[in-house]
């Protein structure tokens, strides 16, 4: 017997037929003698619909009320899955975020899970009942509804798995695993059988879209074994096909010699570039920009400060998620007096392209090869960031697919056919 | 300064433009110096959408999970109205059923409100904050989500008004008041300026669709002054036009001499007729039928037991809401052994037509006139029920509009134009 957390994304929950398919997969695990908690997303499209209502109501909506609105999507699918399981003869009930409870910080619309009460959940699982838990949602200490940010259901699943000391956290999605890059862009992309937490963290954070960044970070910290697999594919007998296991570096099979230098290429079109023109070039100037953004829980990513040429002022460029752009601009306009910039410009027609791999730690020249490959095709680089296992560049979004294809070939990731080499 | 509860129905909340219109009406009351609590329905069509998901998931869905699913619609509109009010500079926050809390019985999908905590709500109103409360929903003592049955938001509003000792409970809807009958069927229907609780109770319960029955009963019991008015019409300056006041019989203006004999004609196509053929004619037989239905919280309305003719068996016919028909049939089939009927038949092509008026207490012959008027047009009566101020008949639904028109004329309710006589 194992204790398993299963998580199903929006496309897996889109409509009753698909929810029945999900219920069948859950039933199979229960019949195998496992204790099962299921974390569900809203039906695909539903969260967008709710978010659009909020934006329409007020561009600067109160995030506390936003959370009340958007948390409803997962409430719906939780109830529907629980009743579908019951109809199949599987004991089940839904547990909403406030019922368990799943406690979070009060950073509304991007809250962090602080604690999950394991008492009721443990008792439910021990009684042989499947616990259906809405992802994405929680409550603050003073019982206000929170959400974890887009894709937060993955984090909910990993957090439940960690709290319940689950043997495995299976993330069912509409792809059958993690690929070297987006197969819709590069048909020769290969499915990875294993990937390290660190690599997945970079791949997820730069837009591989398979898992939410925070869920991977949490899995790494809590040592939760995560598997990404498809809720649509299956063996002829209905059994689930293995996906990609996300594990610690020490668990990776084969020696580091045999590993590819680069594991994957990711792209992300959801960033927006913001430039503050002519900021006074004095100590502490940058803090006046980024402190109010941090206070507003806005995630700033790439930061470029142009060298000042004795004019006494400098330009500061950075990226934020497009979803947070309106709030970011508002925060900056309000702080105009203390920052003292001349002009605030922004651009959403940008894309971030990243090459990722633990192998690059021991190899020089990864970044240089990237810049050269892009330059050879005339692709202009607007900003650069690097980490130990990643190099990212910001480019004009029109070049996204070209850049991904060029880099996939340049780093030798193209496969003859779509199976792991 | 007054304390007012405002309630807005589904058509008033259908989309952000309409929610803004609602917010403007709320703002007007706040600016007049009133303390305001607002109770909202889900966007029109939303509850149907959610109910259909449940039916599709399982015709015999778990009502506890059904409540989790359908309660989400009002959660969405509460958050949206709160943020819209804030955007207009009106202090507001949403209070979900479990947050206040609104305690109910555990009769899931048709729960009854047992208590509303007035402490937090009173403090919120006293601070000048508008409290936006989702109608239709509550929680049991063990914190499971409940709903009050279709149209339950009216009951939520009246219950909040009673708990908060509000001066008035204004029910905003898509009609501008209570009419002598459905104006879409009878263009000569007249709007009533006042109607008694008792009359409204009968008009609502037989399908006048303006207010949920239970809300009127509760208003009568708690002496809540209820006003039905339109959220779409308005004076040129945006002020609200008066609707129909629902008051005690002693508050009705004019003497009883001047009152019409009949106040209105109602119709209801949401009933289903169920007949148990050949039930053993023995003492206690009827209890074996209706006890299990009561246990399942199914509302039985008209009951007709045919006279037995020495065959030792009898037919029992009754009506239930169509929405509860599947469950009713299931309950009866399961009790077949104890009831011992031969056959179970049902018919949804029926309509209930009722004539209502406190005036009929002192007048004989109301029922006789009704039967004669219908017989003159060849309309067959399937069942009859009467109360002190109401006579209802069940007919084939094809005759609904004809029957309503015939009776509206027969009781002298036709107006020359659509203003109160």
């Amino acid at each position: 017997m194992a204790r398993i957390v299963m998580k199903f994304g929006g496309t897996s929950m889109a409509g009753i037929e698909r929810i029945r398919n999900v219920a069948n997969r859950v039933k199979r695990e229960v019949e195998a003698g496992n204790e099962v908690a299921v974390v569900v997303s809203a039906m695909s499209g539903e969260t967008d619909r709710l978010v659009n209502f909020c934006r329409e109501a007020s561009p600067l909506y109160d995030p506390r009320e936003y959370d009340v609105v958007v948390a409803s999507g997962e409430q719906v699918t939780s109830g529907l899955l629980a009743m579908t399981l019951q109809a199949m003869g599987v004991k089940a009930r839904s547990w909403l975020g406030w019922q368990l409870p799943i406690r979070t910080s009060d950073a509304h619309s991007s809250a962090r899970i602080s604690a999950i009460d394991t008492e009721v959940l443990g008792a439910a699982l021990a009684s042989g009942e499947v616990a259906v838990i809405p992802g994405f949602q929680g409550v603050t200490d003073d019982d206000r509804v929170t959400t974890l940010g887009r894709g937060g259901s993955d984090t909910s699943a990993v957090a439940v798995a960690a709290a319940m000391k689950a043997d495995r956290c299976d993330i069912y999605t509409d792809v059958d695993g993690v690929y070297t890059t987006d197969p819709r862009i590069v048909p020769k992309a290969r499915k990875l059988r294993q990937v390290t937490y660190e690599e997945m963290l970079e791949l997820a954070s730069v837009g591989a879209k398979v898992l939410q960044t925070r869920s991977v970070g949490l899995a790494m910290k809590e040592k939760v074994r995560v598997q990404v697999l498809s809720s649509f594919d299956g063996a002829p007998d209905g059994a689930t096909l293995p996906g990609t296991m996300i594990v610690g570096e020490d668990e990776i099979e084969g020696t580091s010699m045999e590993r590819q230098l680069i594991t994957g290429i990711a792209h992300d079109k959801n960033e927006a570039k913001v430039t503050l023109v002519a900021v006074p070039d004095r100590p502490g100037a940058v803090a006046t920009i980024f402190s109010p953004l941090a206070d507003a829980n806005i995630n700033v990513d790439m930061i470029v400060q142009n060298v000042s040429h004795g004019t006494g002022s400098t330009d500061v460029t950075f990226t934020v998620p497009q979803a947070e752009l309106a709030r970011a601009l508002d925060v900056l306009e309000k702080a105009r007096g203390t920052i003292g910039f001349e002009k605030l410009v922004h651009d959403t027609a940008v894309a971030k392209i990243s090459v990722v791999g633990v192998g690059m730690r021991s190899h020089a020249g990864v970044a240089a090869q990237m810049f050269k490959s892009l330059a050879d095709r005339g692709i202009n680089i607007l900003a650069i960031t690097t980490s130990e296992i990643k190099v990212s560049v910001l480019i004009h979004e029109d070049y996204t697919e070209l850049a991904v294809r060029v880099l996939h070939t340049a780093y030798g990731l193209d496969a003859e056919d779509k199976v792991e080499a």
Side-chain angles (χ1 to χ4, degrees), chain A:
Chain A
M1 191 200 80
R3 179 174 277 184
I4 301 175
V5 174
M6 305 172 78
K7 184 263 169 180
F8 293 91
T11 48
S12 308
M13 298 298 291
I16 300 298
E17 265 323 299
R18 291 189 178 179
I19 290 176
R20 260 193 211 114
N21 171 43
V22 164
N24 271 318
R25 287 184 190 271
V26 173
K27 189 181 185 190
R28 188 176 274 267
E29 295 288 4
V30 171
E31 286 175 346
N34 297 314
E35 286 183 4
V36 181
V38 188
V39 175
V40 296
S41 296
M43 292 189 193
S44 64
E46 182 63 12
T47 305
D48 283 340
R49 188 177 80 101
L50 297 167
V51 169
N52 284 337
F53 279 139
C54 294
R55 289 193 182 142
E56 215 189 318
S58 169
L60 301 173
Y61 48 70
D62 178 354
R64 294 169 301 187
E65 300 299 345
Y66 166 94
D67 282 349
V68 168
V69 174
V70 299
S72 66
E74 282 73 14
Q75 178 169 334
V76 170
T77 46
S78 300
L80 291 176
L81 178 58
M83 66 173 69
T84 304
L85 283 166
Q86 290 176 8
M88 291 181 179
V90 179
K91 273 177 67 183
R93 81 157 270 196
S94 63
W95 291 94
L96 302 180
W98 62 270
Q99 288 174 324
L100 278 175
I102 295 176
R103 292 284 170 205
T104 73
S105 68
D106 60 0
H108 285 276
S109 85
S110 55
R112 288 179 171 271
I113 295 175
S114 52
I116 295 179
D117 191 299
T118 56
E119 200 180 325
V120 285
L121 196 49
L125 296 184
S127 78
E129 191 177 71
V130 172
V132 182
I133 302 167
F136 186 54
Q137 66 176 238
V139 281
T140 61
D141 287 337
D142 60 345
D143 280 342
R144 295 208 65 167
V145 176
T146 52
T147 63
L148 310 182
R150 295 307 292 269
S153 293
D154 293 335
T155 302
S156 302
V158 172
V160 168
M164 301 306 295
K165 305 197 191 313
D167 297 283
R168 212 169 69 232
C169 180
D170 286 347
I171 310 273
Y172 286 83
T173 174
D174 52 355
V175 296
D176 61 353
V178 180
Y179 279 72
T180 50
T181 196
D182 186 341
R184 287 168 303 185
I185 295 179
V186 181
K188 286 184 175 175
R190 287 180 296 114
K191 185 170 123 187
L192 299 162
R193 198 158 46 82
Q194 288 186 314
V195 64
T196 68
Y197 291 122
E198 291 85 350
E199 286 169 336
M200 194 61 216
L201 204 52
E202 297 295 357
L203 288 168
S205 70
V206 292
K209 291 185 199 74
V210 178
L211 282 181
Q212 196 203 27
T213 319
R214 280 164 51 198
S215 68
V216 183
L218 186 62
M220 180 162 71
K221 177 167 157 282
E222 301 284 345
K223 298 195 175 24
V224 175
R225 289 174 63 84
V226 175
Q227 183 176 200
V228 173
L229 63 182
S230 168
S231 64
F232 296 105
D233 296 346
D237 68 344
T240 300
L241 295 175
T244 300
M245 285 298 306
I246 306 170
V247 293
E249 212 168 322
D250 51 332
E251 287 190 73
I252 289 281
E253 291 157 18
T255 67
S256 64
M257 289 289 287
E258 292 159 352
R259 297 266 304 158
Q260 295 273 351
L261 177 64
I262 297 300
T263 305
I265 316 284
H267 64 96
D268 181 4
K269 292 187 182 180
N270 293 315
E271 299 267 306
K273 183 166 73 94
V274 177
T275 301
L276 295 168
V277 179
V279 178
D281 191 12
R282 52 176 167 71
V286 170
T288 63
I289 299 170
F290 296 109
S291 298
L293 291 171
D295 292 344
N297 282 304
I298 293 166
N299 291 307
V300 173
D301 183 18
M302 309 174 107
I303 302 176
V304 182
Q305 182 171 5
N306 293 356
V307 177
S308 160
H309 295 285
T311 60
S313 71
T314 180
D315 294 352
V316 177
T317 295
F318 57 89
T319 62
V320 295
Q322 280 184 24
E324 294 172 13
L325 178 62
R327 280 204 302 131
L329 296 176
D330 184 64
V331 165
L332 291 168
E333 280 296 353
K334 281 181 180 150
R336 186 170 202 144
T338 47
I339 305 173
F341 56 85
E342 225 168 58
K343 218 167 61 174
L344 180 59
V345 296
H346 65 272
D347 184 3
T348 56
V350 292
K352 185 164 69 167
I353 312 293
S354 306
V355 298
V356 174
V358 289
M360 76 169 71
R361 282 201 190 115
S362 47
H363 286 76
V366 168
Q369 183 175 1
M370 184 179 193
F371 305 153
K372 180 174 184 312
S373 300
L374 296 176
D376 284 350
R377 298 300 186 106
I379 301 171
N380 192 25
I381 294 172
L382 309 173
I384 299 169
T385 52
T386 61
S387 78
E388 254 207 315
I389 63 164
K390 181 192 73 166
V391 183
S392 300
V393 296
L394 196 71
I395 62 174
H396 191 284
E397 68 171 357
D398 287 351
Y399 294 96
T400 307
E401 291 77 11
L402 175 63
V404 169
R405 284 185 202 119
V406 164
L407 295 173
H408 201 264
T409 303
Y411 290 106
L413 294 173
D414 293 352
E416 283 314 297
D417 52 343
K418 281 174 74 175
V419 295
E420 170 139 51

